Amino acid sequence: MQFLDRINELKEILNKASEAYYVHDKPIMEDFEYDRLMSELIKLETEFPEYKTIDSPTNRIGGEVLSKFEKVTHDVKMASLADAFNYDELKDFDSRVKAVAPNATYLCELKIDGLSVSLKYENGFLVQAATRGNGLIGENITHNVKTIKSVPLKIKENLTTEVRGEIFMPRKNFIQLNLEREQNEEELFANCRNAAAGSVRQLDSSIAAKRNLDVFLYYYLNPFVTTQEESLIKMKNLGFKVNQLYRHCNTIEDVISYIEEMGQKRPDLPYDIDGIVIKVNEIKLHDQIGETVKYPKWAIAYKFPPEEVKTKLLDIIYQVGRSGVITPVAIFKPVFVQGSMISKATLHNEDYIVSKDIHINDTVIIRKAGDVIPEVVRPVIEDRTSDCIPFKMIDVCPCCKEKIVRRNDEADYYCINPNCEEKLINKLIHFASKPAYNIDSLGDKVVEELYKKGYIKTISDIFKLKDHYAELILLPGFGEKSIDHLLDAIEESKKNNLDQLIFGLGIRHCGGKISKLLCSKFKTIDGLMNATYEDIISIGDVGDAIALEFVAYMSNPINQELINELKALGLNMNYEFGEIKENYFTNKKCVLTGTLQAMGRTEAKKLIEGFGGVLSESVSKKTDILILGENPGSKYDKAKQLGIYIMNEEEFLAKIKE
C-alpha cells in the first residue's frame, strides 16, 4: 500500500500546484520540482496501472487518439446571443428589459474570443466535454479538454453538474505556435480563435496537449444560485478558472462606462476579446424576461468596433493577378491586430493610395475590415518625417517588365503581355483552386513548382500530367504516393459540373455565381460558345460588361482551341444540376455571415441552390434572407439596417428539411 499512498500524495501535490499556477496565477512550485514529481508519478502509474485514476494529472499529457468525434446532445440548449454594435442598441435592450423587470441589474463579462465548451461532472469528476455545435448537438472533445491544465479533472465538491465557458489560446502561445509552424513550413493559423478551434478538434490528444490552451468558465447550471455573480463565485470556489474582470452594474450607463474601460484595456490583455457580454444578474428574472426563437432576451453581446493600431509602412510592392491586374501591396512592420500578426495589406490601386496620401515610411493606422481582412486606414500625417517617400505608380510589370496600361474607365493598371509568367501561374492556381475546379493536392506551391519545371504551362497540361509519371515521382518532395494521389484527383475532377470549368477559365467578370447562371441557361459548352450578346444580356443579374467579356472570350480562337482540347481530354462539358425540388428557399436570395457549426459554406450553398435559391456574397435591398452563423461580420449590421429577415442556424437547418 505504500506505493498507493505515494501515488495519492503525488496527485494531491501536483493538482494543487496546477491549480495555483493555471487557475489562480500564483505559482507555489518551481517548474523543475513539478517535472521531477510528475516523472515519479508516471513511473509509479506505469508500474502499477491499477492505481491510475481519472483525476490523475498524468492524463493531461495526452496520447489518446480517436478515429472520429462522437456527437453529443446537450441536455440544455447552448444558446448564442444577439449582438449590439453601438450604445443606442444597448439602450434599446435596456428599455426592453426594464419594461418587463424594472429592478433588473446587469452583470458584465469579457467576451472571450475562443470556442464554447460544455463540461459535465459526475460526483465531482470530469466525465464529458463537448463543443457548442449548433446549440443542440455538439462534438465530444473530452480527450483534448483533459489536456487543458486550467480545467479541473476533479472539483472540490462531489457534485454532478455542468458548467460552460470558452476555450482560448493566450496570445503569447499563439505567436509561439505560428513561429514553429512557419519553421516547419506549415500553414499558419489566422488568429487565436482559429488556433484554439483547430487544437480542440485534433483526433490525437497529444497534439492538443502541446498547444497550451486555456479556459474561462462563465455559466453554471445550478438551480440554487440566485444571480450570475453568485454563479461565478461558486464556480471559482469549486476550482474553476473564472475571469475576474467582470462587473456588477446597476444601470445601462454603468454598463457603457465598463465597456469604455475594457476597450482601453483590451490591447494589453494576454488573450483576445471581441466584446462584452451583458446579462441580467438576477436569474429569477430570466424566465420573466423570456427569449426569442433565436436568443435569450435577458442577455446581449456588445461587439467592439474594429481595433486600430499604428505601425510603420516599410514598402509598397506589386502583385500580378491572373487577369494581369497590378495590385499595390503595403508591407509594414509586423503588428498584432485582433488575434493575429499581420505584415501586409492590399492598397487596391493608384487612386486609393493617392486619395489617402500614403507615403512609404509613413506611420499608418491598420485594422481588420469586418474583423478579418487587414487594411490600411490612413497615414498619421502629424508623424510624417523627411524620409517619407511620396507614392509613384510603376509603369512596367514587376514580373515581365513589359509596359502596363490603365484603361480609361478603370482604376486598375494591367499587364497585357499574354506570356507574363506570374499571370500564367496565377491563372493555373485559380483554375485548380477549391472555389473553381477544386483539384485536391494541386495547391499554389505545387502549381508554381510544376510550372517552373515545365510540366504545366496551360490548363490542358494539368490533364496531361499522367504522361510524365516516371519523371514526376523523382521530383524532390513528391514521390510515388503523392503523385498517385494528385493524378487520381485530376482524373476525378473531370466529372465536375460545367459551371466549375467556366469559373475556372478565369473569364473577366465571370465569377462563381455568374458561371452558374450562364450554365443553367445554356446547359452545354456548345450552347455557351454559340451564345450571342443578346442571349446573355437577357439573363437576370447579367450586365452589359459581363456579356461583352464572355462573348469576346468565347470568340477568341486561342480560347476555342483550349476548350476543344479540354473536351478531347474528357472533361465534363454539360451542366448537370438535376431537378430542382421546391422548398422555402426557392427563388430566394440568401446571404451567409459568420460560421455555421453543422456544415461549411460550400455545403450550405449547394443545399440552397438545390432548392432553386441563390447564395450571394453581399447584402443588398434584393436580399431575402440573412443566414446567421457564429461571429458574424458587417453583413449582419447591413441586414438589420435594411430590415432583411435574419435566420439563425437552428431555423436554417429546420427549413432545409421541410
Side-chain angles (χ1 to χ4, degrees):
M1 291 298 290
Q2 61 176 344
F3 295 116
L4 176 59
D5 291 341
R6 181 56 177 164
I7 287 172
N8 288 334
E9 182 183 18
L10 287 169
K11 285 195 307 184
E12 186 177 355
I13 293 169
L14 291 168
N15 281 329
K16 279 184 179 177
S18 286
E19 182 182 347
Y21 186 92
Y22 294 104
V23 177
H24 304 302
D25 199 22
K26 293 178 180 178
I28 58 174
M29 182 183 294
E30 293 293 334
D31 290 348
F32 176 82
E33 179 65 7
Y34 184 92
D35 293 341
R36 187 186 69 78
L37 295 176
M38 179 66 83
S39 296
E40 183 185 350
L41 180 58
I42 292 170
K43 186 177 178 182
L44 286 170
E45 287 183 342
T46 303
E47 193 172 348
F48 303 100
E50 65 273 22
Y51 294 150
K52 183 171 179 175
T53 57
I54 61 174
D55 64 326
S56 173
T58 58
N59 288 319
R60 299 191 184 280
I61 298 169
E64 184 181 350
V65 181
L66 304 182
S67 59
K68 63 178 183 177
F69 289 99
E70 295 177 352
K71 297 295 182 185
V72 170
T73 301
H74 298 299
D75 295 335
V76 178
K77 180 182 174 182
M78 290 184 73
S80 55
L81 299 179
D83 291 327
F85 295 91
N86 55 59
Y87 295 151
D88 285 340
E89 290 178 347
L90 279 186
K91 289 174 181 175
D92 289 343
F93 163 74
D94 178 59
S95 297
R96 292 193 298 271
V97 167
K98 294 297 175 65
V100 179
N103 297 321
T105 63
Y106 300 112
L107 205 289
C108 299
E109 302 168 63
L110 301 185
K111 188 174 182 295
I112 308 299
D113 198 8
L115 182 84
S116 296
V117 66
S118 159
L119 305 178
K120 278 190 174 181
Y121 289 79
E122 289 182 6
N123 299 317
F125 291 94
L126 176 66
V127 293
Q128 180 183 282
T131 62
R132 177 183 177 275
N134 64 10
L136 300 172
I137 299 173
E139 290 180 322
N140 190 327
I141 53 169
T142 311
H143 71 304
N144 284 332
V145 169
K146 282 181 177 178
T147 71
I148 302 174
K149 297 181 179 68
S150 50
V151 173
L153 301 176
K154 183 179 186 300
I155 54 178
K156 293 178 180 177
E157 294 182 24
N158 294 332
L159 296 174
T160 295
T161 189
E162 181 181 349
V163 294
R164 292 173 178 176
E166 200 83 0
I167 294 172
F168 65 95
M169 181 173 285
R171 287 176 177 173
K172 66 177 183 180
N173 297 344
F174 169 75
I175 294 169
Q176 182 60 40
L177 175 61
N178 263 354
L179 284 173
E180 291 170 6
R181 292 178 73 84
E182 188 172 28
Q183 289 165 3
N184 295 328
E185 297 186 345
E186 296 175 304
E187 186 179 353
L188 302 186
F189 286 112
N191 50 48
C192 294
R193 173 167 41 85
N194 178 251
S199 300
V200 298
R201 297 203 78 258
Q202 292 290 328
L203 292 170
D204 184 348
S205 63
S206 64
I207 298 174
K210 295 173 185 174
R211 298 284 176 82
N212 295 311
L213 297 172
D214 208 338
V215 69
F216 283 124
L217 283 307
Y218 55 72
Y219 186 52
Y220 183 31
L221 274 70
N222 184 324
F224 301 109
V225 292
T226 59
T227 67
Q228 173 63 12
E229 187 170 16
E230 185 185 341
S231 292
L232 297 178
I233 294 168
K234 179 66 175 174
M235 284 190 291
K236 183 182 177 184
N237 292 338
L238 288 171
F240 293 109
K241 186 170 183 176
V242 171
N243 193 297
Q244 295 300 298
L245 293 177
Y246 64 83
R247 183 172 299 169
H248 183 200
C249 298
N250 290 314
T251 67
I252 200 66
E253 287 73 24
D254 293 340
V255 170
I256 291 170
S257 176
Y258 172 80
I259 290 170
E260 294 284 339
E261 183 183 330
M262 291 301 112
Q264 293 294 318
K265 291 181 177 179
R266 183 185 180 195
D268 300 320
L269 294 171
Y271 43 79
D272 279 357
I273 63 171
D274 60 354
I276 301 294
V277 174
I278 301 104
K279 303 171 185 170
V280 169
N281 190 40
E282 296 79 17
I283 293 173
K284 66 181 180 182
L285 296 177
H286 291 183
D287 286 343
Q288 185 179 331
I289 297 167
E291 58 184 49
T292 67
V293 174
K294 306 172 190 175
Y295 312 114
K297 293 181 181 179
W298 44 265
I300 198 165
Y302 174 84
K303 300 293 288 285
F304 284 125
E307 180 185 359
E308 296 186 346
V309 299
K310 282 185 182 182
T311 189
K312 185 173 183 178
L313 179 63
L314 303 174
D315 198 4
I316 296 175
I317 63 170
Y318 300 87
Q319 293 178 342
V320 186
R322 59 187 168 86
S323 65
V325 66
I326 308 294
T327 305
V329 177
I331 304 297
F332 39 81
K333 186 178 178 182
V335 63
F336 201 85
V337 184
Q338 287 183 247
S340 57
M341 192 68 74
I342 58 173
S343 58
K344 61 182 180 180
T346 179
L347 289 171
H348 304 291
N349 52 54
E350 180 184 33
D351 292 351
Y352 180 88
I353 300 170
V354 171
S355 68
K356 290 186 177 289
D357 190 25
I358 294 170
H359 289 35
I360 294 173
N361 292 330
D362 265 342
T363 297
V364 290
I365 302 294
I366 307 295
R367 73 178 178 199
K368 284 188 181 176
D371 286 352
V372 177
I373 302 168
E375 68 172 350
V376 177
V377 181
R378 62 185 179 279
V380 183
I381 302 296
E382 57 270 27
D383 289 353
R384 183 170 286 166
T385 55
S386 58
D387 68 336
C388 293
I389 305 165
F391 168 77
K392 187 177 187 306
M393 186 65 187
I394 56 173
D395 54 12
V396 297
C397 172
C399 175
C400 66
K401 308 306 177 189
E402 293 283 330
K403 186 88 173 167
I404 60 175
V405 300
R406 178 173 174 173
R407 296 173 177 140
N408 290 334
D409 58 342
E410 293 189 29
D412 293 318
Y413 281 83
Y414 289 85
C415 171
I416 55 174
N417 174 14
N419 298 313
C420 175
E421 186 173 89
E422 199 167 338
K423 263 173 71 173
L424 295 174
I425 290 172
N426 281 324
K427 279 185 179 181
L428 292 166
I429 287 172
H430 167 73
F431 180 83
S433 69
K434 191 171 183 177
Y437 218 61
N438 190 20
I439 302 177
D440 189 31
S441 301
L442 193 58
D444 299 8
K445 289 182 180 177
V446 176
V447 168
E448 191 169 353
E449 183 163 356
L450 293 176
Y451 179 93
K452 289 182 176 176
K453 297 281 186 187
Y455 292 108
I456 54 173
K457 294 293 184 181
T458 68
I459 289 170
S460 59
D461 287 339
I462 293 171
F463 301 94
K464 300 174 190 174
L465 276 173
K466 61 185 177 183
D467 299 337
H468 303 284
Y469 182 83
E471 303 154 68
L472 292 172
I473 60 173
L474 298 176
L475 290 176
F478 284 88
E480 191 173 342
K481 248 186 190 178
S482 59
I483 291 299
D484 283 344
H485 184 73
L486 173 60
L487 295 180
D488 286 346
I490 290 170
E491 197 61 30
E492 183 65 23
S493 74
K494 290 181 181 180
K495 302 174 186 175
N496 286 346
N497 225 339
L498 179 60
D499 62 297
Q500 292 177 261
L501 174 62
I502 297 302
F503 181 35
L505 292 173
I507 303 168
R508 197 157 173 259
H509 299 318
C510 197
K513 177 186 172 185
I514 295 299
S515 298
K516 198 173 289 292
L517 282 171
L518 291 170
C519 290
S520 62
K521 170 73 173 177
F522 298 105
K523 307 298 182 189
T524 68
I525 192 67
D526 292 335
L528 288 165
M529 292 176 79
N530 293 323
T532 65
Y533 167 83
E534 288 74 18
D535 292 333
I536 294 170
I537 202 73
S538 68
I539 304 171
D541 289 342
V542 177
D544 183 69
I546 296 168
L548 288 170
E549 289 286 349
F550 191 83
V551 170
Y553 182 92
M554 290 297 178
S555 304
N556 187 317
I558 296 172
N559 298 329
Q560 291 174 351
E561 184 181 345
L562 169 63
I563 290 170
N564 287 328
E565 192 172 6
L566 294 175
K567 263 189 191 179
L569 287 164
L571 276 69
N572 174 39
M573 294 290 164
N574 299 308
Y575 184 68
E576 301 165 346
F577 199 83
E579 188 178 345
I580 288 176
K581 178 184 174 185
E582 288 204 4
N583 171 276
Y584 177 83
F585 294 102
T586 305
N587 297 323
K588 288 190 171 68
K589 292 188 177 180
C590 307
V591 174
L592 171 62
T593 183
T595 304
L596 296 179
Q597 295 298 313
M599 67 186 72
R601 180 179 292 268
T602 303
E603 187 181 350
K605 184 177 182 182
K606 283 182 179 177
L607 285 167
I608 291 167
E609 289 174 346
F611 291 124
V614 175
L615 186 65
S616 300
E617 291 300 318
S618 57
V619 173
S620 70
K621 290 180 181 178
K622 294 181 179 179
T623 303
D624 296 303
I625 304 163
L626 180 80
I627 300 164
L628 189 67
E630 286 193 347
N631 302 300
S634 56
K635 295 174 188 176
Y636 177 56
D637 273 349
K638 190 168 182 183
K640 287 203 297 185
Q641 290 169 4
L642 294 173
I644 290 161
Y645 181 68
I646 296 172
M647 176 183 290
N648 68 5
E649 182 172 358
E650 185 181 349
E651 187 179 356
F652 172 66
L653 294 173
K655 288 290 185 187
I656 61 176
K657 291 174 183 175
E658 287 182 353

